[in-house]
Amino acid sequence: MIPKTQFVYPVLLLMFSSHILKYSNAVVDTISPGQQLNISQTIVSAGKMFELGFFSPTNSTNYYMGIWYKNIPGKTVVWIANRDYPVTGSAVLSISVDGNLVIRHGRIVYMVTDIVTNGNVTATLFDSGNLVVRDEKSNTLWQSFDFPCNTFLPGMRLGYDNRNGKSWSYISWKSDDDPSPGNYTLKLDSEQGNRILILNGDDEYWRSKLWEEDSNVFESPPEVRLNMFNFSFVSNLSMTYLTYNLYREDLISRLMIDSNGRLRQFSWSGNEWDVLNSQPRNACDVLAYCGGNSSCTEVPSPNCSCLPGFKPNSPELWNKADYKFGCSMISGLQCGNDTNIKGAEDGFRMLSKVVLPKNPLPLQVQTLSDCRSSCLNDCSCAGFSYISQSCSIWIGELRNLQQLSADDISGTDFFLKLPAAELGTGKRTPSKRKQLIIIISVTISASILASALFIWKVKMKMHKRTGEDLLSFDLSISPEPTKNEQSGVKQRQKHKKEVEIPIFSFSSVSAATNNFSLSNKLGEGGFGPVYKGKLLKGNEVAVKRLSRKSGQGWNELKNEAVLIAKLQHKNLVKLLGCCIEGDEKILVYEYLPNKSLDLFLVGNFLLMFSFSPLDCYYRFVFLLF
Ligand SMILES: *[C@@H]1O[C@H](CO)[C@@H](O)[C@H](O)[C@H]1NC(C)=O
Ligand SMILES: *[C@@H]1O[C@H](CO)[C@@H](O)[C@H](O)[C@H]1NC(C)=O
Ligand SMILES: *[C@@H]1O[C@H](CO)[C@@H](O)[C@H](O)[C@H]1NC(C)=O
Ligand SMILES: *[C@@H]1O[C@H](CO)[C@@H](O)[C@H](O)[C@H]1NC(C)=O
Ligand SMILES: *[C@@H]1O[C@H](CO)[C@@H](O)[C@H](O)[C@H]1NC(C)=O
Ligand SMILES: *[C@@H]1O[C@H](CO)[C@@H](O)[C@H](O)[C@H]1NC(C)=O
Ligand SMILES: *[C@@H]1O[C@H](CO)[C@@H](O)[C@H](O)[C@H]1NC(C)=O
Ligand SMILES: *[C@@H]1O[C@H](CO)[C@@H](O)[C@H](O)[C@H]1NC(C)=O
Ligand SMILES: *[C@@H]1O[C@H](CO)[C@@H](O)[C@H](O)[C@H]1NC(C)=O
């Protein structure tokens, strides 16, 4: 949102004495009354982290007053005062007689702040990137952190201040060389719990999973699971917001909503910005990417198709890969039609290996057949699922159903409601129900068989691979991390080829940690204790023994695995291998003997590692098929 406090008004400039800002050798981080900054002057925060001044985006003749990293080449701009009102090279920034920060541009005065003061104020740029206007008693009157642009820096907020009717939301640039407000907005949705939303215009574009109070992370790992960030939620009567800080002072990181609607977390590696996370990760995660009643496939390239029994609403656009109008049913359902014709009853088609559509409605029914008939009897029900004895139905339009490939190990079954004509059974035979039962039981037994076979195969494979000796493991030739994410989709296809990480024998892990002795214990987090291990060559490793209670669904697991595969970053602790024997799930990480690591290992961010044994397992699976 464009801060209301900014507006432009023409005034007759009163002549008043204004001294040009004088540069001595000392860094100037403050603008005081009577000083002004012209287009080629800047101020720099005390620790030389950030710089404030006018800049001109690439290929543009417009000037904007902004804040960027002082020591990072290429001017990475994190905040702009006048994104909706570009100026030319003659503009100057100063504090007006009434104590407001203004950009004078000819006879136009653009008010950066709109505060009531006695005129004796200063504007200081801090090392956090925050520009703060204070009065002579150092009371904060205004701060740039309260008027975000597209970049969410550590210490900033995302949320609402209901008491003052303010919100902290972030709007993308229009394009890489046009900072004016673009199509995408990052905001907090606090209606059914807290989560992050990306809007495209007014339409929802992507949403994160819900924030979990007790574990201080979003349900799904992507946004916050890195051991670099300490995200926290503040919620009280007057305000609700998400904020974060960095665990390490030497890190430079920013979260940004870019002009293509991607929410990306960057970290400065010393010579380039690494992308640590990018959401939505896949086209199929974009809300209604394929429109309603269609299914999305990600591999080999993002593609949409109508659900069986449905046709595109706009075949012309559909063929041009513009899917937004979605699909509708070819022939109508019998449901609700009084004309009772035998053999015309609606039925279901099972779609297997799918990611279920968004917005399920959970039902408290006990059996598959109750679940099925609940949907059948509700004319607005479009389909149902029945997983682990829990029934969900979908009302109306189906969105974001995703069809996974046949060799994908995740995914579930979805039963799509269709008219008899589309089910290929035509006439109703007396044995139809029986047929369904047979089909279901065959499916169930087949899946039991398949899983048994699968588990057996995994076990065989594991068996073959167990027994690598942790003690004689050579750290110097441990698997190299993959390159950082370049493009989500490409990476996604590539990760399948990533190979195994070492599996260590339990006995060698036990030996390395002196039988998990107390003296080797570094700490204990929610997911189990962490020990220091010693290898024969003298190297030290950190060994995390997961407690048995943690478990997770395949989807989250898969996301996590893909994430870890992508995020091999120098600031992350390197996973050297794992050990899965019987009930034991153990992760072995490199051990960095600095204090901050201990902090990660015993803090909340143990969570990040919690699914990783399964990550190991997951990679296995890909080796198998
Ligand atoms: C800005 O001010 C400095 C210091 O007075 C001066 O040297 C410089 O030429 C000015 N630049 C512009 C573009 O006016
Ligand atoms: C600037 O313009 C050049 C030439 O028109 C183009 O190649 C380049 O991509 C543009 N840069 C940006 C950031 O748009
Ligand atoms: C402004 O505040 C400073 C202290 O921060 C004080 O020294 C100065 O006299 C004040 N000036 C006016 C005009 O009030
Ligand atoms: C994490 O953030 C919370 C809230 O901002 C703060 O109280 C806590 O000290 C932080 N923890 C670390 C280790 O920085
Ligand atoms: C809510 O929390 C904020 C930030 O911690 C604090 O400044 C504010 O006073 C709190 N408001 C109430 C009503 O507790
Ligand atoms: C933003 O929306 C407009 C209008 O819908 C569209 O023409 C433009 O391509 C969109 N820009 C981006 C970067 O998506
Ligand atoms: C999308 O899928 C349809 C049907 O599965 C196929 O005919 C079409 O070639 C695919 N398009 C792309 C771009 O992959
Ligand atoms: C999808 O199907 C439902 C139920 O048949 C229908 O109400 C809805 O309008 C359809 N959506 C589109 C985009 O046609
Ligand atoms: C009711 O069903 C009959 C036979 O299938 C069909 O001809 C008729 O159009 C249906 N009526 C409605 C309102 O769908």
Side-chain angles (χ1 to χ4, degrees):
M1 217 194 306
I2 301 159
K4 283 198 199 78
T5 57
Q6 294 180 359
F7 57 93
V8 182
Y9 64 96
V11 291
L12 282 174
L13 272 183
L14 296 170
M15 295 300 290
F16 75 103
S17 73
S18 82
H19 313 280
I20 301 289
L21 190 58
K22 291 276 184 311
Y23 280 96
S24 56
N25 285 336
V27 174
V28 178
D29 66 354
T30 299
I31 303 174
S32 305
Q35 294 178 320
Q36 63 179 42
L37 281 189
N38 70 17
I39 226 92
S40 53
Q41 293 169 311
T42 60
I43 60 169
V44 174
S45 64
K48 299 202 169 102
M49 286 296 295
F50 286 95
E51 184 166 21
L52 174 146
F54 287 95
F55 74 98
S56 184
T58 339
N59 294 350
S60 166
T61 53
N62 291 334
Y63 281 88
Y64 296 90
M65 201 210 82
I67 297 173
W68 56 88
Y69 293 93
K70 168 72 181 156
N71 294 316
I72 291 180
K75 267 192 196 162
T76 305
V77 174
V78 297
W79 184 78
I80 297 179
N82 57 321
R83 64 188 303 198
D84 52 341
Y85 187 75
V87 293
T88 65
S90 64
V92 292
L93 174 75
S94 61
I95 292 173
S96 68
V97 282
D98 64 359
N100 274 297
L101 207 54
V102 298
I103 297 170
R104 291 176 193 279
H105 179 219
R107 290 171 56 183
I108 304 287
V109 173
Y110 179 90
M111 297 188 68
V112 177
T113 65
D114 184 14
I115 48 181
V116 180
T117 73
N118 65 4
N120 195 6
V121 303
T122 54
T124 305
L125 179 63
F126 285 91
D127 280 328
S128 58
N130 198 5
L131 176 68
V132 181
V133 176
R134 293 180 297 182
D135 64 15
E136 69 264 34
K137 296 195 192 83
S138 282
N139 296 316
T140 297
L141 304 176
W142 180 94
Q143 53 176 349
S144 63
F145 271 16
D146 281 340
F147 300 91
C149 290
N150 70 340
T151 304
F152 185 1
L153 291 174
M156 291 182 76
R157 296 165 175 181
L158 173 70
Y160 303 93
D161 177 352
N162 292 325
R163 186 158 295 176
N164 296 309
K166 280 199 307 196
S167 78
W168 297 279
S169 45
Y170 296 74
I171 300 177
S172 67
W173 288 23
K174 214 167 222 148
S175 68
D176 288 348
D177 43 16
D178 182 0
S180 60
N183 291 355
Y184 297 96
T185 306
L186 176 70
K187 61 180 279 191
L188 188 76
D189 173 20
S190 55
E191 267 165 29
Q192 303 142 13
N194 293 317
R195 65 175 152 220
I196 297 174
L197 282 187
I198 300 175
L199 303 182
N200 179 359
D202 294 330
D203 299 332
E204 189 173 317
Y205 181 74
W206 177 82
R207 61 169 79 158
S208 72
K209 299 273 180 84
L210 289 176
W211 176 262
E212 289 187 341
E213 282 306 332
D214 41 348
S215 55
N216 264 13
V217 288
F218 285 96
E219 224 177 88
S220 140
E223 304 80 21
V224 293
R225 280 284 182 71
L226 305 174
N227 54 4
M228 301 156 70
F229 310 109
N230 176 20
F231 277 83
S232 54
F233 240 101
V234 175
S235 187
N236 60 26
L237 287 176
S238 67
M239 48 181 81
T240 304
Y241 62 84
L242 176 71
T243 186
Y244 72 107
N245 58 6
L246 299 173
Y247 279 125
R248 280 170 43 182
E249 279 162 17
D250 59 330
L251 289 176
I252 296 179
S253 187
R254 64 194 164 100
L255 192 63
M256 174 185 123
I257 175 87
D258 78 8
S259 54
N260 298 313
R262 286 175 302 191
L263 175 61
R264 307 181 104 189
Q265 181 93 50
F266 291 93
S267 169
W268 181 250
S269 71
N271 44 38
E272 61 179 0
W273 287 107
D274 291 338
V275 180
L276 295 190
N277 184 15
S278 181
Q279 298 289 348
R281 186 165 296 128
N282 302 314
C284 294
D285 296 339
V286 169
L287 208 79
Y289 173 78
C290 289
N293 306 323
S294 48
S295 81
C296 189
T297 50
E298 202 68 57
V299 196
S301 62
N303 193 2
C304 302
S305 37
C306 288
L307 290 173
F310 287 71
K311 59 177 192 325
N313 283 324
S314 166
E316 213 169 296
L317 289 174
W318 190 270
N319 292 334
K320 289 183 191 147
D322 182 351
Y323 306 116
K324 65 173 172 291
F325 292 108
C327 306
S328 53
M329 214 172 263
I330 294 168
S331 47
L333 293 167
Q334 181 67 20
C335 193
N337 187 343
D338 299 339
T339 339
N340 195 359
I341 297 170
K342 267 205 178 298
E345 265 144 62
D346 304 325
F348 293 91
R349 170 176 302 190
M350 187 176 92
L351 309 178
S352 51
K353 294 219 174 284
V354 303
V355 175
L356 295 172
K358 291 246 191 296
N359 303 327
L361 189 70
L363 282 193
Q364 299 295 334
V365 299
Q366 298 307 316
T367 64
L368 174 66
S369 80
D370 286 349
C371 188
R372 183 182 187 277
S373 54
S374 305
C375 183
L376 200 56
N377 297 332
D378 179 346
C379 290
S380 60
C381 177
F384 74 94
S385 77
Y386 188 78
I387 300 157
S388 319
Q389 268 133 46
S390 73
C391 167
S392 297
I393 65 168
W394 278 259
I395 301 296
E397 183 166 297
L398 298 167
R399 287 170 158 206
N400 283 74
L401 183 142
Q402 193 178 336
Q403 181 66 58
L404 301 173
S405 58
D407 62 355
D408 203 308
I409 48 158
S410 56
T412 48
D413 295 339
F414 177 72
F415 296 87
L416 175 69
K417 186 150 97 179
L418 287 173
E422 297 295 338
L423 289 168
T425 48
K427 288 173 283 166
R428 185 198 154 100
T429 56
S431 62
K432 196 175 163 210
R433 177 155 284 231
K434 251 188 214 158
Q435 272 178 5
L436 183 77
I437 291 170
I438 291 171
I439 290 171
I440 290 171
S441 41
V442 166
T443 315
I444 291 174
S445 9
S447 15
I448 290 173
L449 247 169
S451 345
L453 187 67
F454 169 75
I455 289 167
W456 179 74
K457 271 171 124 183
V458 170
K459 278 204 168 149
M460 288 300 287
K461 188 85 189 180
M462 293 262 214
H463 189 67
K464 262 193 252 160
R465 277 192 70 201
T466 43
E468 222 173 296
D469 189 359
L470 175 62
L471 289 169
S472 54
F473 185 69
D474 192 348
L475 270 179
S476 57
I477 56 163
S478 67
E480 264 314 297
T482 53
K483 264 230 120 355
N484 293 309
E485 179 198 58
Q486 304 293 341
S487 125
V489 175
K490 251 192 242 152
Q491 200 68 29
R492 191 187 143 89
Q493 288 152 22
K494 229 167 54 190
H495 87 271
K496 284 197 180 182
K497 302 224 167 59
E498 269 164 30
V499 262
E500 57 232 78
I501 56 173
I503 307 265
F504 301 115
S505 69
F506 181 72
S507 57
S508 71
V509 175
S510 175
T513 55
N514 201 4
N515 292 327
F516 300 100
S517 74
L518 264 182
S519 61
N520 283 42
K521 190 159 154 180
L522 292 170
E524 173 133 22
F527 286 81
V530 181
Y531 301 87
K532 181 148 75 171
K534 201 158 184 171
L535 311 188
L536 288 180
K537 281 194 168 176
N539 303 98
E540 287 174 333
V541 293
V543 171
K544 186 157 87 174
R545 191 181 195 181
L546 287 146
S547 57
R548 277 149 220 195
K549 60 178 187 239
S550 49
Q552 191 68 13
W554 280 113
N555 264 334
E556 284 77 6
L557 191 63
K558 200 175 123 180
N559 289 341
E560 184 76 18
V562 175
L563 183 77
I564 290 185
K566 280 185 193 173
L567 298 186
Q568 296 288 3
H569 183 270
K570 74 179 172 94
N571 291 315
L572 296 175
V573 188
K574 194 153 116 195
L575 180 66
L576 300 175
C578 54
C579 164
I580 308 172
E581 258 181 63
D583 277 349
E584 295 289 350
K585 295 177 198 141
I586 293 168
L587 292 167
V588 181
Y589 289 95
E590 67 178 337
Y591 177 67
L592 307 169
N594 64 29
K595 248 188 149 178
S596 51
L597 177 71
D598 298 338
L599 179 76
F600 304 155
L601 289 172
V602 299
N604 278 335
F605 284 77
L606 270 175
L607 278 173
M608 168 179 174
F609 308 132
S610 64
F611 308 124
S612 301
L614 292 161
D615 172 28
C616 247
Y617 185 75
Y618 174 72
R619 288 172 191 221
F620 247 126
V621 170
F622 274 114
L623 292 174
L624 267 162
F625 288 107

